[in-house]
mmCIF file of all heavy atoms in Angstrom:
data_model
loop_
_atom_site.group_PDB
_atom_site.id
_atom_site.type_symbol
_atom_site.label_atom_id
_atom_site.label_comp_id
_atom_site.label_asym_id
_atom_site.label_seq_id
_atom_site.Cartn_x
_atom_site.Cartn_y
_atom_site.Cartn_z
ATOM 1 N N ALA Q 1099 0.830 -1.218 0.000
ATOM 2 C CA ALA Q 1099 0.000 0.000 0.000
ATOM 3 C C ALA Q 1099 0.856 1.256 0.000
ATOM 4 O O ALA Q 1099 0.457 2.284 -0.576
ATOM 5 C CB ALA Q 1099 -0.927 -0.018 1.209
ATOM 6 N N VAL Q 1100 2.037 1.200 0.623
ATOM 7 C CA VAL Q 1100 2.883 2.391 0.679
ATOM 8 C C VAL Q 1100 3.265 2.854 -0.720
ATOM 9 O O VAL Q 1100 3.410 4.059 -0.963
ATOM 10 C CB VAL Q 1100 4.155 2.124 1.527
ATOM 11 C CG1 VAL Q 1100 5.044 1.072 0.878
ATOM 12 C CG2 VAL Q 1100 4.934 3.421 1.741
ATOM 13 N N LEU Q 1101 3.395 1.937 -1.662
ATOM 14 C CA LEU Q 1101 3.749 2.325 -3.030
ATOM 15 C C LEU Q 1101 2.602 3.074 -3.703
ATOM 16 O O LEU Q 1101 2.828 4.029 -4.452
ATOM 17 C CB LEU Q 1101 4.120 1.086 -3.850
ATOM 18 C CG LEU Q 1101 5.295 0.259 -3.337
ATOM 19 C CD1 LEU Q 1101 5.633 -0.858 -4.314
ATOM 20 C CD2 LEU Q 1101 6.508 1.135 -3.098
ATOM 21 N N VAL Q 1102 1.383 2.628 -3.430
ATOM 22 C CA VAL Q 1102 0.217 3.321 -3.993
ATOM 23 C C VAL Q 1102 0.079 4.705 -3.365
ATOM 24 O O VAL Q 1102 -0.236 5.688 -4.046
ATOM 25 C CB VAL Q 1102 -1.061 2.499 -3.779
ATOM 26 C CG1 VAL Q 1102 -2.263 3.188 -4.413
ATOM 27 C CG2 VAL Q 1102 -0.894 1.092 -4.366
ATOM 28 N N ASP Q 1103 0.323 4.784 -2.066
ATOM 29 C CA ASP Q 1103 0.245 6.082 -1.381
ATOM 30 C C ASP Q 1103 1.294 7.050 -1.923
ATOM 31 O O ASP Q 1103 1.012 8.240 -2.147
ATOM 32 C CB ASP Q 1103 0.451 5.893 0.123
ATOM 33 C CG ASP Q 1103 -0.710 5.143 0.780
ATOM 34 O OD1 ASP Q 1103 -1.817 5.135 0.203
ATOM 35 O OD2 ASP Q 1103 -0.491 4.552 1.858
ATOM 36 N N VAL Q 1104 2.510 6.542 -2.139
ATOM 37 C CA VAL Q 1104 3.577 7.382 -2.681
ATOM 38 C C VAL Q 1104 3.225 7.829 -4.096
ATOM 39 O O VAL Q 1104 3.441 8.986 -4.480
ATOM 40 C CB VAL Q 1104 4.919 6.638 -2.654
ATOM 41 C CG1 VAL Q 1104 5.950 7.336 -3.535
ATOM 42 C CG2 VAL Q 1104 5.448 6.545 -1.229
ATOM 43 N N ARG Q 1105 2.675 6.918 -4.883
ATOM 44 C CA ARG Q 1105 2.257 7.269 -6.242
ATOM 45 C C ARG Q 1105 1.235 8.397 -6.212
ATOM 46 O O ARG Q 1105 1.332 9.358 -6.990
ATOM 47 C CB ARG Q 1105 1.658 6.055 -6.932
ATOM 48 C CG ARG Q 1105 0.955 6.369 -8.243
ATOM 49 C CD ARG Q 1105 0.057 5.231 -8.681
ATOM 50 N NE ARG Q 1105 -0.769 5.632 -9.817
ATOM 51 C CZ ARG Q 1105 -1.915 6.289 -9.742
ATOM 52 N NH1 ARG Q 1105 -2.370 6.677 -8.534
ATOM 53 N NH2 ARG Q 1105 -2.600 6.603 -10.831
ATOM 54 N N MET Q 1106 0.243 8.279 -5.342
ATOM 55 C CA MET Q 1106 -0.803 9.305 -5.247
ATOM 56 C C MET Q 1106 -0.221 10.649 -4.824
ATOM 57 O O MET Q 1106 -0.509 11.697 -5.411
ATOM 58 C CB MET Q 1106 -1.869 8.857 -4.246
ATOM 59 C CG MET Q 1106 -2.954 9.892 -3.988
ATOM 60 S SD MET Q 1106 -3.918 10.297 -5.464
ATOM 61 C CE MET Q 1106 -4.851 8.762 -5.635
ATOM 62 N N ALA Q 1107 0.629 10.625 -3.799
ATOM 63 C CA ALA Q 1107 1.211 11.870 -3.301
ATOM 64 C C ALA Q 1107 2.118 12.513 -4.349
ATOM 65 O O ALA Q 1107 2.050 13.727 -4.587
ATOM 66 C CB ALA Q 1107 1.990 11.599 -2.021
ATOM 67 N N ALA Q 1108 2.955 11.701 -4.993
ATOM 68 C CA ALA Q 1108 3.892 12.249 -5.978
ATOM 69 C C ALA Q 1108 3.174 12.792 -7.201
ATOM 70 O O ALA Q 1108 3.632 13.758 -7.827
ATOM 71 C CB ALA Q 1108 4.885 11.165 -6.397
ATOM 72 N N SER Q 1109 2.028 12.203 -7.547
ATOM 73 C CA SER Q 1109 1.300 12.627 -8.747
ATOM 74 C C SER Q 1109 0.367 13.800 -8.497
ATOM 75 O O SER Q 1109 0.209 14.663 -9.370
ATOM 76 C CB SER Q 1109 0.481 11.446 -9.303
ATOM 77 O OG SER Q 1109 1.310 10.352 -9.630
ATOM 78 N N HIS Q 1110 -0.262 13.846 -7.329
ATOM 79 C CA HIS Q 1110 -1.332 14.812 -7.119
ATOM 80 C C HIS Q 1110 -1.188 15.672 -5.863
ATOM 81 O O HIS Q 1110 -1.974 16.591 -5.672
ATOM 82 C CB HIS Q 1110 -2.685 14.084 -7.048
ATOM 83 C CG HIS Q 1110 -2.927 13.169 -8.207
ATOM 84 N ND1 HIS Q 1110 -3.145 13.631 -9.489
ATOM 85 C CD2 HIS Q 1110 -2.979 11.812 -8.280
ATOM 86 C CE1 HIS Q 1110 -3.331 12.607 -10.304
ATOM 87 N NE2 HIS Q 1110 -3.242 11.489 -9.599
ATOM 88 N N GLN Q 1111 -0.243 15.348 -4.999
ATOM 89 C CA GLN Q 1111 -0.141 16.065 -3.734
ATOM 90 C C GLN Q 1111 1.292 16.571 -3.538
ATOM 91 O O GLN Q 1111 2.037 16.741 -4.500
ATOM 92 C CB GLN Q 1111 -0.582 15.143 -2.587
ATOM 93 C CG GLN Q 1111 -2.015 14.617 -2.742
ATOM 94 C CD GLN Q 1111 -2.319 13.471 -1.805
ATOM 95 O OE1 GLN Q 1111 -1.539 13.146 -0.917
ATOM 96 N NE2 GLN Q 1111 -3.474 12.838 -2.006
ATOM 97 N N GLU Q 1112 1.661 16.771 -2.295
ATOM 98 C CA GLU Q 1112 3.021 17.231 -2.001
ATOM 99 C C GLU Q 1112 4.003 16.089 -2.184
ATOM 100 O O GLU Q 1112 3.727 14.939 -1.823
ATOM 101 C CB GLU Q 1112 3.080 17.763 -0.566
ATOM 102 C CG GLU Q 1112 4.426 18.376 -0.200
ATOM 103 C CD GLU Q 1112 4.424 18.937 1.205
ATOM 104 O OE1 GLU Q 1112 3.344 18.951 1.835
ATOM 105 O OE2 GLU Q 1112 5.496 19.362 1.663
ATOM 106 N N MET Q 1113 5.152 16.390 -2.757
ATOM 107 C CA MET Q 1113 6.162 15.366 -2.995
ATOM 108 C C MET Q 1113 6.586 14.730 -1.677
ATOM 109 O O MET Q 1113 6.916 15.427 -0.716
ATOM 110 C CB MET Q 1113 7.382 15.980 -3.675
ATOM 111 C CG MET Q 1113 8.457 14.973 -4.060
ATOM 112 S SD MET Q 1113 7.935 13.832 -5.344
ATOM 113 C CE MET Q 1113 7.745 14.961 -6.730
ATOM 114 N N PRO Q 1114 6.576 13.370 -1.589
ATOM 115 C CA PRO Q 1114 6.980 12.701 -0.348
ATOM 116 C C PRO Q 1114 8.425 13.012 0.028
ATOM 117 O O PRO Q 1114 9.248 13.374 -0.822
ATOM 118 C CB PRO Q 1114 6.804 11.220 -0.693
ATOM 119 C CG PRO Q 1114 5.824 11.199 -1.814
ATOM 120 C CD PRO Q 1114 6.097 12.430 -2.607
ATOM 121 N N ALA Q 1115 8.719 12.826 1.294
ATOM 122 C CA ALA Q 1115 10.078 13.058 1.796
ATOM 123 C C ALA Q 1115 11.033 12.027 1.218
ATOM 124 O O ALA Q 1115 10.638 10.922 0.837
ATOM 125 C CB ALA Q 1115 10.084 12.994 3.317
ATOM 126 N N LEU Q 1116 12.301 12.389 1.172
ATOM 127 C CA LEU Q 1116 13.309 11.511 0.595
ATOM 128 C C LEU Q 1116 13.376 10.183 1.343
ATOM 129 O O LEU Q 1116 13.516 9.121 0.721
ATOM 130 C CB LEU Q 1116 14.680 12.205 0.635
ATOM 131 C CG LEU Q 1116 15.854 11.403 0.053
ATOM 132 C CD1 LEU Q 1116 15.604 11.028 -1.397
ATOM 133 C CD2 LEU Q 1116 17.148 12.210 0.182
ATOM 134 N N ALA Q 1117 13.276 10.213 2.669
ATOM 135 C CA ALA Q 1117 13.350 8.977 3.451
ATOM 136 C C ALA Q 1117 12.214 8.027 3.075
ATOM 137 O O ALA Q 1117 12.419 6.810 2.937
ATOM 138 C CB ALA Q 1117 13.299 9.290 4.947
ATOM 139 N N LEU Q 1118 11.017 8.564 2.876
ATOM 140 C CA LEU Q 1118 9.874 7.733 2.490
ATOM 141 C C LEU Q 1118 10.056 7.179 1.087
ATOM 142 O O LEU Q 1118 9.760 6.005 0.826
ATOM 143 C CB LEU Q 1118 8.583 8.551 2.577
ATOM 144 C CG LEU Q 1118 7.301 7.830 2.112
ATOM 145 C CD1 LEU Q 1118 7.081 6.551 2.903
ATOM 146 C CD2 LEU Q 1118 6.098 8.757 2.236
ATOM 147 N N LEU Q 1119 10.549 7.999 0.184
ATOM 148 C CA LEU Q 1119 10.778 7.542 -1.188
ATOM 149 C C LEU Q 1119 11.832 6.441 -1.243
ATOM 150 O O LEU Q 1119 11.683 5.457 -1.979
ATOM 151 C CB LEU Q 1119 11.206 8.726 -2.062
ATOM 152 C CG LEU Q 1119 10.112 9.757 -2.350
ATOM 153 C CD1 LEU Q 1119 10.728 11.048 -2.869
ATOM 154 C CD2 LEU Q 1119 9.102 9.199 -3.348
ATOM 155 N N SER Q 1120 12.886 6.595 -0.442
ATOM 156 C CA SER Q 1120 13.922 5.565 -0.398
ATOM 157 C C SER Q 1120 13.360 4.259 0.152
ATOM 158 O O SER Q 1120 13.632 3.177 -0.381
ATOM 159 C CB SER Q 1120 15.091 6.048 0.471
ATOM 160 O OG SER Q 1120 16.092 5.054 0.549
ATOM 161 N N HIS Q 1121 12.563 4.359 1.206
ATOM 162 C CA HIS Q 1121 11.924 3.166 1.780
ATOM 163 C C HIS Q 1121 10.990 2.520 0.754
ATOM 164 O O HIS Q 1121 10.985 1.284 0.596
ATOM 165 C CB HIS Q 1121 11.142 3.547 3.029
ATOM 166 C CG HIS Q 1121 10.238 2.460 3.527
ATOM 167 N ND1 HIS Q 1121 10.714 1.304 4.121
ATOM 168 C CD2 HIS Q 1121 8.869 2.338 3.498
ATOM 169 C CE1 HIS Q 1121 9.692 0.522 4.431
ATOM 170 N NE2 HIS Q 1121 8.565 1.128 4.072
ATOM 171 N N ALA Q 1122 10.223 3.335 0.054
ATOM 172 C CA ALA Q 1122 9.300 2.803 -0.953
ATOM 173 C C ALA Q 1122 10.055 2.102 -2.071
ATOM 174 O O ALA Q 1122 9.589 1.082 -2.603
ATOM 175 C CB ALA Q 1122 8.445 3.934 -1.521
ATOM 176 N N SER Q 1123 11.222 2.623 -2.426
ATOM 177 C CA SER Q 1123 12.011 1.969 -3.486
ATOM 178 C C SER Q 1123 12.473 0.587 -3.037
ATOM 179 O O SER Q 1123 12.530 -0.352 -3.847
ATOM 180 C CB SER Q 1123 13.214 2.839 -3.872
ATOM 181 O OG SER Q 1123 14.218 2.844 -2.858
ATOM 182 N N GLU Q 1124 12.799 0.438 -1.757
ATOM 183 C CA GLU Q 1124 13.166 -0.877 -1.232
ATOM 184 C C GLU Q 1124 11.994 -1.845 -1.340
ATOM 185 O O GLU Q 1124 12.149 -3.000 -1.757
ATOM 186 C CB GLU Q 1124 13.603 -0.765 0.224
ATOM 187 C CG GLU Q 1124 14.916 -0.058 0.455
ATOM 188 C CD GLU Q 1124 15.295 -0.074 1.931
ATOM 189 O OE1 GLU Q 1124 15.113 -1.112 2.574
ATOM 190 O OE2 GLU Q 1124 15.770 0.961 2.427
ATOM 191 N N ARG Q 1125 10.793 -1.378 -0.951
ATOM 192 C CA ARG Q 1125 9.601 -2.221 -1.016
ATOM 193 C C ARG Q 1125 9.269 -2.586 -2.462
ATOM 194 O O ARG Q 1125 8.846 -3.712 -2.759
ATOM 195 C CB ARG Q 1125 8.421 -1.510 -0.367
ATOM 196 C CG ARG Q 1125 8.597 -1.176 1.108
ATOM 197 C CD ARG Q 1125 8.671 -2.439 1.963
ATOM 198 N NE ARG Q 1125 7.473 -3.263 1.829
ATOM 199 C CZ ARG Q 1125 6.335 -3.077 2.494
ATOM 200 N NH1 ARG Q 1125 6.246 -2.054 3.353
ATOM 201 N NH2 ARG Q 1125 5.310 -3.875 2.327
ATOM 202 N N ALA Q 1126 9.464 -1.630 -3.366
ATOM 203 C CA ALA Q 1126 9.190 -1.883 -4.777
ATOM 204 C C ALA Q 1126 10.132 -2.940 -5.335
ATOM 205 O O ALA Q 1126 9.710 -3.859 -6.051
ATOM 206 C CB ALA Q 1126 9.312 -0.587 -5.578
ATOM 207 N N LEU Q 1127 11.409 -2.816 -5.006
ATOM 208 C CA LEU Q 1127 12.383 -3.809 -5.472
ATOM 209 C C LEU Q 1127 12.080 -5.186 -4.886
ATOM 210 O O LEU Q 1127 12.193 -6.207 -5.578
ATOM 211 C CB LEU Q 1127 13.797 -3.365 -5.101
ATOM 212 C CG LEU Q 1127 14.369 -2.216 -5.938
ATOM 213 C CD1 LEU Q 1127 15.664 -1.709 -5.323
ATOM 214 C CD2 LEU Q 1127 14.611 -2.677 -7.378
ATOM 215 N N GLN Q 1128 11.695 -5.211 -3.622
ATOM 216 C CA GLN Q 1128 11.335 -6.487 -3.001
ATOM 217 C C GLN Q 1128 10.173 -7.139 -3.751
ATOM 218 O O GLN Q 1128 10.196 -8.333 -4.035
ATOM 219 C CB GLN Q 1128 10.960 -6.262 -1.536
ATOM 220 C CG GLN Q 1128 10.601 -7.554 -0.801
ATOM 221 C CD GLN Q 1128 10.200 -7.291 0.641
ATOM 222 O OE1 GLN Q 1128 10.036 -6.152 1.065
ATOM 223 N NE2 GLN Q 1128 10.045 -8.342 1.419
ATOM 224 N N TRP Q 1129 9.162 -6.335 -4.069
ATOM 225 C CA TRP Q 1129 8.003 -6.871 -4.805
ATOM 226 C C TRP Q 1129 8.413 -7.356 -6.189
ATOM 227 O O TRP Q 1129 7.987 -8.430 -6.632
ATOM 228 C CB TRP Q 1129 6.933 -5.785 -4.927
ATOM 229 C CG TRP Q 1129 5.658 -6.296 -5.556
ATOM 230 C CD1 TRP Q 1129 4.612 -6.906 -4.936
ATOM 231 C CD2 TRP Q 1129 5.309 -6.222 -6.941
ATOM 232 N NE1 TRP Q 1129 3.634 -7.235 -5.837
ATOM 233 C CE2 TRP Q 1129 4.029 -6.821 -7.086
ATOM 234 C CE3 TRP Q 1129 5.931 -5.713 -8.080
ATOM 235 C CZ2 TRP Q 1129 3.382 -6.926 -8.321
ATOM 236 C CZ3 TRP Q 1129 5.289 -5.816 -9.311
ATOM 237 C CH2 TRP Q 1129 4.040 -6.415 -9.414
ATOM 238 N N LEU Q 1130 9.247 -6.598 -6.871
ATOM 239 C CA LEU Q 1130 9.701 -6.985 -8.207
ATOM 240 C C LEU Q 1130 10.495 -8.283 -8.172
ATOM 241 O O LEU Q 1130 10.318 -9.162 -9.022
ATOM 242 C CB LEU Q 1130 10.540 -5.863 -8.824
ATOM 243 C CG LEU Q 1130 9.774 -4.629 -9.302
ATOM 244 C CD1 LEU Q 1130 10.721 -3.461 -9.539
ATOM 245 C CD2 LEU Q 1130 8.983 -4.949 -10.567
ATOM 246 N N PHE Q 1131 11.370 -8.408 -7.171
ATOM 247 C CA PHE Q 1131 12.180 -9.628 -7.088
ATOM 248 C C PHE Q 1131 11.311 -10.835 -6.747
ATOM 249 O O PHE Q 1131 11.511 -11.927 -7.286
ATOM 250 C CB PHE Q 1131 13.299 -9.457 -6.052
ATOM 251 C CG PHE Q 1131 14.475 -8.684 -6.573
ATOM 252 C CD1 PHE Q 1131 14.780 -7.428 -6.075
ATOM 253 C CD2 PHE Q 1131 15.273 -9.206 -7.572
ATOM 254 C CE1 PHE Q 1131 15.842 -6.701 -6.572
ATOM 255 C CE2 PHE Q 1131 16.353 -8.490 -8.073
ATOM 256 C CZ PHE Q 1131 16.647 -7.235 -7.579
ATOM 257 N N GLU Q 1132 10.329 -10.648 -5.874
ATOM 258 C CA GLU Q 1132 9.471 -11.766 -5.491
ATOM 259 C C GLU Q 1132 8.517 -12.161 -6.606
ATOM 260 O O GLU Q 1132 8.295 -13.349 -6.846
ATOM 261 C CB GLU Q 1132 8.671 -11.401 -4.236
ATOM 262 C CG GLU Q 1132 9.521 -11.297 -2.977
ATOM 263 C CD GLU Q 1132 8.714 -10.824 -1.774
ATOM 264 O OE1 GLU Q 1132 7.526 -10.447 -1.968
ATOM 265 O OE2 GLU Q 1132 9.266 -10.816 -0.661
ATOM 266 N N ARG Q 1133 7.939 -11.180 -7.284
ATOM 267 C CA ARG Q 1133 6.899 -11.460 -8.274
ATOM 268 C C ARG Q 1133 7.432 -11.675 -9.679
ATOM 269 O O ARG Q 1133 6.771 -12.315 -10.492
ATOM 270 C CB ARG Q 1133 5.872 -10.311 -8.298
ATOM 271 C CG ARG Q 1133 5.088 -10.175 -7.016
ATOM 272 C CD ARG Q 1133 4.344 -11.480 -6.683
ATOM 273 N NE ARG Q 1133 3.549 -11.366 -5.482
ATOM 274 C CZ ARG Q 1133 2.249 -11.101 -5.470
ATOM 275 N NH1 ARG Q 1133 1.608 -10.924 -6.610
ATOM 276 N NH2 ARG Q 1133 1.600 -11.025 -4.329
ATOM 277 N N TYR Q 1134 8.586 -11.132 -10.007
ATOM 278 C CA TYR Q 1134 9.100 -11.254 -11.378
ATOM 279 C C TYR Q 1134 10.414 -12.035 -11.441
ATOM 280 O O TYR Q 1134 10.502 -13.063 -12.108
ATOM 281 C CB TYR Q 1134 9.295 -9.865 -11.993
ATOM 282 C CG TYR Q 1134 9.841 -9.925 -13.406
ATOM 283 C CD1 TYR Q 1134 9.002 -10.184 -14.479
ATOM 284 C CD2 TYR Q 1134 11.200 -9.721 -13.662
ATOM 285 C CE1 TYR Q 1134 9.497 -10.261 -15.776
ATOM 286 C CE2 TYR Q 1134 11.704 -9.785 -14.954
ATOM 287 C CZ TYR Q 1134 10.853 -10.050 -16.009
ATOM 288 O OH TYR Q 1134 11.358 -10.122 -17.278
ATOM 289 N N TRP Q 1135 11.420 -11.540 -10.711
ATOM 290 C CA TRP Q 1135 12.748 -12.135 -10.872
ATOM 291 C C TRP Q 1135 12.828 -13.560 -10.335
ATOM 292 O O TRP Q 1135 13.488 -14.414 -10.929
ATOM 293 C CB TRP Q 1135 13.793 -11.241 -10.208
ATOM 294 C CG TRP Q 1135 13.947 -9.944 -10.933
ATOM 295 C CD1 TRP Q 1135 13.504 -8.718 -10.528
ATOM 296 C CD2 TRP Q 1135 14.545 -9.740 -12.215
ATOM 297 N NE1 TRP Q 1135 13.798 -7.763 -11.479
ATOM 298 C CE2 TRP Q 1135 14.438 -8.357 -12.520
ATOM 299 C CE3 TRP Q 1135 15.157 -10.586 -13.128
ATOM 300 C CZ2 TRP Q 1135 14.929 -7.813 -13.710
ATOM 301 C CZ3 TRP Q 1135 15.647 -10.047 -14.312
ATOM 302 C CH2 TRP Q 1135 15.532 -8.687 -14.589
ATOM 303 N N HIS Q 1136 12.178 -13.844 -9.214
ATOM 304 C CA HIS Q 1136 12.183 -15.217 -8.715
ATOM 305 C C HIS Q 1136 11.478 -16.150 -9.690
ATOM 306 O O HIS Q 1136 11.927 -17.276 -9.917
ATOM 307 C CB HIS Q 1136 11.513 -15.282 -7.339
ATOM 308 C CG HIS Q 1136 12.344 -14.682 -6.244
ATOM 309 N ND1 HIS Q 1136 11.919 -14.589 -4.942
ATOM 310 C CD2 HIS Q 1136 13.592 -14.132 -6.257
ATOM 311 C CE1 HIS Q 1136 12.865 -14.019 -4.203
ATOM 312 N NE2 HIS Q 1136 13.876 -13.726 -4.979
ATOM 313 N N ALA Q 1137 10.365 -15.675 -10.268
ATOM 314 C CA ALA Q 1137 9.659 -16.486 -11.265
ATOM 315 C C ALA Q 1137 10.535 -16.713 -12.493
ATOM 316 O O ALA Q 1137 10.561 -17.821 -13.059
ATOM 317 C CB ALA Q 1137 8.352 -15.805 -11.664
ATOM 318 N N GLN Q 1138 11.261 -15.683 -12.909
ATOM 319 C CA GLN Q 1138 12.169 -15.831 -14.045
ATOM 320 C C GLN Q 1138 13.276 -16.837 -13.740
ATOM 321 O O GLN Q 1138 13.631 -17.667 -14.582
ATOM 322 C CB GLN Q 1138 12.783 -14.471 -14.391
ATOM 323 C CG GLN Q 1138 11.823 -13.492 -15.021
ATOM 324 C CD GLN Q 1138 11.403 -13.892 -16.412
ATOM 325 O OE1 GLN Q 1138 12.235 -14.129 -17.279
ATOM 326 N NE2 GLN Q 1138 10.107 -13.974 -16.633
#
């Protein structure tokens, strides 16, 4: 959910803080590795 929240804020609201964006990038990479790269 944090990725969707960051997407909403970055697109339509105030730009999220750098710490939150960095954390979200970790979660995004984790999701990509679990859902795509592990399957590959």
Side-chain angles (χ1 to χ4, degrees):
V1100 65
L1101 300 185
V1102 182
D1103 292 338
V1104 165
R1105 169 196 171 276
M1106 176 62 71
S1109 301
H1110 308 291
Q1111 302 166 9
E1112 185 178 354
M1113 184 67 66
L1116 180 58
L1118 176 57
L1119 290 164
S1120 179
H1121 168 71
S1123 72
E1124 291 183 42
R1125 299 294 301 277
L1127 286 170
Q1128 181 181 8
W1129 185 86
L1130 286 165
F1131 280 112
E1132 290 175 353
R1133 295 302 182 97
Y1134 179 80
W1135 292 107
H1136 288 178
Q1138 289 291 306

